[in-house]
Amino acid sequence: MSDQPAAMLDIHDLQGWYDESHVLHGISLKVARGEVITLLGRNGAGKTTSLRAIMGILGRTAGSIRFNGAELVGLSPDKIARKGIGYCPEDRGIFSGLTVDENLLLPPVVGKGGMSVAEIHTLFPNLVERRTSFGTKLSGGEQQMLAIGRILRTGASLLLLDEPTEGLAPVIVQQIGVAVRLLKQRGFTILLVEQNFHFASTVADRHYVVEEGKIVDEIANDDLPNQTERLKSYLGV
Ligand SMILES: Nc1ncnc2c1ncn2[C@@H]1O[C@H](COP(=O)(O)OP(=O)(O)OP(=O)(O)O)[C@@H](O)[C@H]1O
Ligand SMILES: [Mg+2]
């Protein structure tokens, strides 16, 4: 990885715990500005926990997470978000009692370069006709689009997306893929958790494989066709 530009996100030997349970055992990875990187791995491998550790919402962490050179370990979630990191959790975190517009406008703007609501509507046209619908009325795909749209307004430059395609119909998965590629073109940096490596291969530059709280492999997307069997054995598919 020595020929890569300086990493925007540089995680070294990250350890993480839920109470007494030691779950992350040394996650090390780098993401350069403008890259789309996936974390692949089986259920319970530690993908979500890694994202939670980056956001500072895991109870206890050790090791180092540098973002644009600054150490995040030990900072409050609020301070971490304000450095320009947007998090889209696995459950999407939509407020069911708020409308689509209200959900979009809720998160504080933390940096320059955030998208306007009009730009978010251009990216996700499905949201336009749902502007006044409540969160509870949205389909899974609409919820996912809203969850991503919501963090685009904030000005975050690094997006952490946890299984954005989970449970969605193929046509919606394709729409999410189009959006992720557009976001990359616009210069966003994206760390994406996925179990669907077919989807991952359509959007990502590189893939890290997570197993039992450690990064056990790294695969360039261009090399994926040669590594399918290896990847399948990691994922148990
Ligand atoms: N709130 C929690 N309290 C205690 N242990 C937890 C908690 N959440 C997750 N774990 C454990 O931590 C480990 C890693 O879980 P994590 O949710 O990070 O996995 P994952 O890779 O995201 O899996 P999935 O693909 O199922 O989402 C698992 O052993 C899980 O059981
Ligand atoms: Mg998870």
Side-chain angles (χ1 to χ4, degrees), residues 47-146:
K47 306 178 298 295
T48 295
T49 306
S50 299
L51 299 191
R52 293 174 57 91
I54 295 169
M55 292 313 294
I57 54 176
L58 187 64
R60 183 173 155 214
T61 53
S64 171
I65 303 171
R66 287 187 171 269
F67 178 62
N68 291 326
E71 182 60 54
L72 301 186
V73 170
L75 296 187
S76 66
D78 171 63
K79 286 222 171 79
I80 293 170
R82 282 177 189 281
K83 288 190 179 292
I85 307 182
Y87 174 47
C88 205
E90 209 167 0
D91 69 4
R92 294 161 187 155
I94 302 300
F95 290 96
S96 54
L98 299 182
T99 65
V100 165
D101 271 358
E102 288 166 344
N103 267 284
L104 264 188
L105 293 169
L106 199 64
V109 171
V110 297
K112 294 196 183 107
M115 283 191 178
S116 65
V117 170
E119 286 175 299
I120 294 167
H121 285 158
T122 306
L123 188 67
F124 296 122
N126 303 39
L127 294 182
V128 178
E129 61 209 63
R130 304 296 260 149
R131 291 185 71 159
T132 56
S133 303
F134 286 97
T136 37
K137 300 287 182 198
L138 303 180
S139 69
E142 289 164 345
Q143 284 187 21
Q144 189 59 58
M145 292 171 189
L146 178 56

Side-chain angles (χ1 to χ4, degrees), residues 18 21 23 41-50 90 162-163 195:
Y18 290 103
S21 172
V23 170
R42 296 184 193 215
N43 291 324
K47 306 178 298 295
T48 295
T49 306
S50 299
E90 209 167 0
D162 198 343
E163 299 207 40
Q195 295 219 30

